[in-house]
Amino acid sequence: MQLKTILNRCHKFKSFVYDQARFVGEAIEVTVLPRANAKAMCSHCAEPAPVYDHLAERRFEFIPIWGYRVFFLYRMRRVDCRDCGVKVERVPWARGKRELTDTYQQFLAHWAEKLSWLEVARSFRTSWEKVFQAVEFVVQWGLEHRDLSQVTALGVDEIAWRHGHNYLTLVDQIDADNTRLLWIGKDRTMKTLLRFFHFFGEQRSLKLQYVCSDMWKPYLKVIKKKAANALNILDRFHIVAKLNKAIDEVRAGEHRQLQKDGYEPVLKNSRWCLLKRKENLTEKQEAKLKDLLQYNLKSVRAYLLKEDFDGFWGYVSAAWAGKFLDRWCTRVMRSKIEPMKKVAKTMRAHKPLILNWFKAKKALSKALSSGVVEGLNNKAKVTTRNSYGFRTYRGAEIALYHALGNLPKPPMAHRFC
Ligand SMILES: [Zn+2]
């Protein structure tokens, strides 16, 4: 069987034919010729046009086979288009000045869902930049072809980026039947979120029923203004994160104080015992926690306050939950633990928004109970953590859309992977 036969089976084009295939060093080169009676097409308007002249031969990289890189060789023609003038012709296997064929780009992008970009580059003996280009191509196609008409619930979130000095704002769709990353923006300012709503459009924004967010003021303001018909909900995950941050602050301060005063360092290695959910503790951490709870420490009291707050989410009625919240805040304010008091103050100030959680619970039960926002946030962190390669904003943006955007893919006549 010839290579030509295989190519004609999996990668055939109406107006072009495969000619000879041969080894050149460790690569296979396949010559492509235009079919005798087929017309060339203008790359600008996609209409057929008479041939003007021929350009020098170009190489297009295709999927490697059995460890050999594969290239198509083709002399691009220029056409004299009635509407556009003299233009390079359009070829169906690649676009613009790209060296990689569309199919090879989809192939690389497919593997980039499973491996890091560097691993993909090494596995297929190509460069990191080529993998980036490939993923960018597929993401771009997906963004242009995705359907945004059925979005009714949004989650607004942020992640630290580049060693925590910068933030990215992430907007997710959190509808029961579709959860995906919709949009990424630099920083976490009012302007950032305004840019999202500008992109999303007024009509779609007014159709939004729920927007789930953090207590971050710039976000709250913009959501109120732009998603006027939506119920703004403060996500459980964000509230727990705030409590955890306060506990961490208390623990770190107290640990330092104990050491300074020459006490036994009981809080050493206690960080995760106090922050993790009980059911996620390792045996060792559980023993440590049990031990800690015997001490009368600020950290322990802060931890117990956080644990108590968990009862809040079990309420069915917003009114009763509101009473619980009041009682809890009063206790925290009496605790004399400053970082916790700060959280309680913020929560008091946002009580109506926090109670919206109970109004949305039914409609968004899946998203709110299974922690969709939290899940997407964690995946986003993992995606950006391998920061080498994502030093540029564009790199991080493309990687995040690729991993979390649930984007449609360009159609392929044959499944190569
Ligand atoms: Zn044209």
Side-chain angles (χ1 to χ4, degrees):
M1 183 163 44
Q2 287 190 311
L3 200 52
K4 241 162 96 170
T5 318
I6 305 175
L7 281 168
N8 278 326
R9 176 76 71 102
C10 65
H11 197 250
K12 191 180 166 93
F13 299 109
K14 230 169 53 194
S15 307
F16 300 87
V17 293
Y18 295 107
D19 193 31
Q20 288 167 20
R22 65 200 158 280
F23 272 114
V24 176
E26 284 299 291
I28 296 172
E29 293 185 347
V30 184
T31 311
V32 179
L33 297 171
R35 200 181 285 280
N37 50 3
K39 286 219 170 82
M41 288 215 286
C42 167
S43 58
H44 205 245
C45 65
E47 291 297 322
V51 173
Y52 178 77
D53 64 359
H54 287 76
L55 300 174
E57 193 170 66
R58 252 178 76 182
R59 281 155 67 90
F60 299 89
E61 189 162 3
F62 192 60
I63 301 171
I65 178 171
W66 298 328
Y68 300 110
R69 295 174 78 185
V70 175
F71 293 89
F72 296 152
L73 303 187
Y74 179 69
R75 280 191 75 183
M76 301 286 278
R77 296 168 291 180
R78 287 199 301 172
V79 296
D80 189 4
C81 178
R82 203 181 46 195
D83 298 325
C84 320
V86 175
K87 293 279 168 197
V88 177
E89 72 173 315
R90 160 183 285 205
V91 292
W93 59 82
R95 34 198 97 190
K97 294 194 164 71
R98 286 182 187 250
E99 194 192 356
L100 304 183
T101 56
D102 288 2
T103 308
Y104 188 34
Q105 298 199 87
Q106 280 172 263
F107 178 87
L108 291 174
H110 169 84
W111 285 105
E113 283 172 29
K114 304 172 197 302
L115 306 167
S116 79
W117 294 3
L118 199 61
E119 284 167 322
V120 175
R122 283 187 184 143
S123 303
F124 300 104
R125 292 181 219 171
T126 183
S127 64
W128 186 92
E129 283 73 21
K130 292 258 166 79
V131 178
F132 170 56
Q133 265 180 38
V135 178
E136 189 180 36
F137 161 74
V138 169
V139 164
Q140 205 61 51
W141 194 95
L143 290 176
E144 279 160 22
H145 291 82
R146 67 182 170 169
D147 178 11
L148 295 176
S149 63
Q150 306 298 323
V151 182
T152 69
L154 291 183
V156 179
D157 197 13
E158 80 214 9
I159 55 168
W161 177 56
R162 288 210 279 203
H163 316 293
H165 299 310
N166 298 279
Y167 284 92
L168 299 178
T169 296
L170 307 180
V171 182
D172 307 316
Q173 177 179 5
I174 56 167
D175 282 298
D177 54 347
N178 202 351
T179 60
R180 57 180 166 164
L181 172 67
L182 285 186
W183 189 84
I184 306 160
K186 258 189 210 169
D187 300 327
R188 50 165 181 172
T189 60
M190 279 183 74
K191 257 194 192 154
T192 318
L193 201 55
L194 279 171
R195 273 197 288 126
F196 162 75
F197 280 107
H198 180 74
F199 146 81
F200 198 56
E202 199 181 323
Q203 243 182 350
R204 279 198 283 257
S205 302
L206 289 175
K207 273 200 257 166
L208 290 170
Q209 293 172 21
Y210 303 99
V211 180
C212 195
S213 75
D214 193 359
M215 284 180 261
W216 183 243
K217 251 213 192 86
Y219 287 168
L220 296 180
K221 267 191 188 163
V222 174
I223 292 166
K224 199 171 173 188
K225 193 169 157 211
K226 292 292 177 182
N229 300 321
L231 194 64
N232 192 177
I233 312 151
L234 300 183
D235 192 51
R236 178 178 180 168
F237 153 63
H238 286 123
I239 292 173
V240 173
K242 274 221 155 45
L243 289 169
N244 276 341
K245 211 176 144 210
I247 290 175
D248 213 24
E249 212 178 298
V250 177
R251 185 198 56 81
E254 195 165 37
H255 181 50
R256 265 197 308 272
Q257 192 61 44
L258 286 175
Q259 273 187 317
K260 216 171 107 193
D261 298 347
Y263 285 102
E264 202 190 336
V266 281
L267 282 167
K268 207 178 167 194
N269 300 326
S270 67
R271 182 160 188 239
W272 293 108
C273 310
L274 297 175
L275 298 187
K276 263 174 142 182
R277 276 187 212 158
K278 255 191 199 148
E279 60 268 29
N280 296 339
L281 291 176
T282 63
E283 243 170 70
K284 214 171 143 194
Q285 287 169 333
E286 221 180 297
K288 174 90 191 170
L289 179 64
K290 218 172 152 192
D291 181 42
L292 266 185
L293 290 177
Q294 296 173 11
Y295 293 88
N296 182 20
L297 292 167
K298 267 190 190 172
S299 311
V300 169
R301 277 183 283 137
Y303 169 78
L304 292 173
L305 284 169
K306 177 188 86 162
E307 284 291 291
D308 283 348
F309 191 75
D310 234 28
F312 175 78
W313 308 106
Y315 280 93
V316 177
S317 122
W320 285 103
K323 288 197 175 109
F324 177 94
L325 180 63
D326 291 340
R327 279 200 310 275
W328 184 85
C329 286
T330 310
R331 275 176 51 212
V332 175
M333 295 313 284
R334 285 182 192 147
S335 73
K336 298 194 184 114
I337 307 174
E338 282 310 317
M340 293 296 281
K341 279 167 74 179
K342 218 174 119 198
V343 179
K345 268 184 214 159
T346 320
M347 279 165 63
R348 261 186 188 162
H350 294 104
K351 188 179 164 190
L353 288 182
I354 295 176
L355 292 178
N356 277 347
W357 197 81
F358 295 92
K359 291 187 200 162
K361 213 170 153 187
K362 256 198 193 134
L364 290 179
S365 63
K366 200 178 147 209
L368 293 180
S369 65
S370 65
V372 166
V373 179
E374 183 176 10
L376 284 168
N377 181 288
N378 285 337
K379 275 193 207 159
K381 277 186 199 145
V382 172
T383 305
T384 47
R385 193 171 300 146
N386 296 340
S387 57
Y388 60 85
F390 301 135
R391 256 161 277 155
T392 63
Y393 171 69
R394 182 71 178 155
E397 188 184 26
I398 293 297
L400 284 167
Y401 277 129
H402 190 51
L404 306 170
N406 199 10
L407 294 170
K409 297 195 169 101
M412 280 206 271
H414 171 73
R415 274 194 57 189
F416 287 90
C417 43

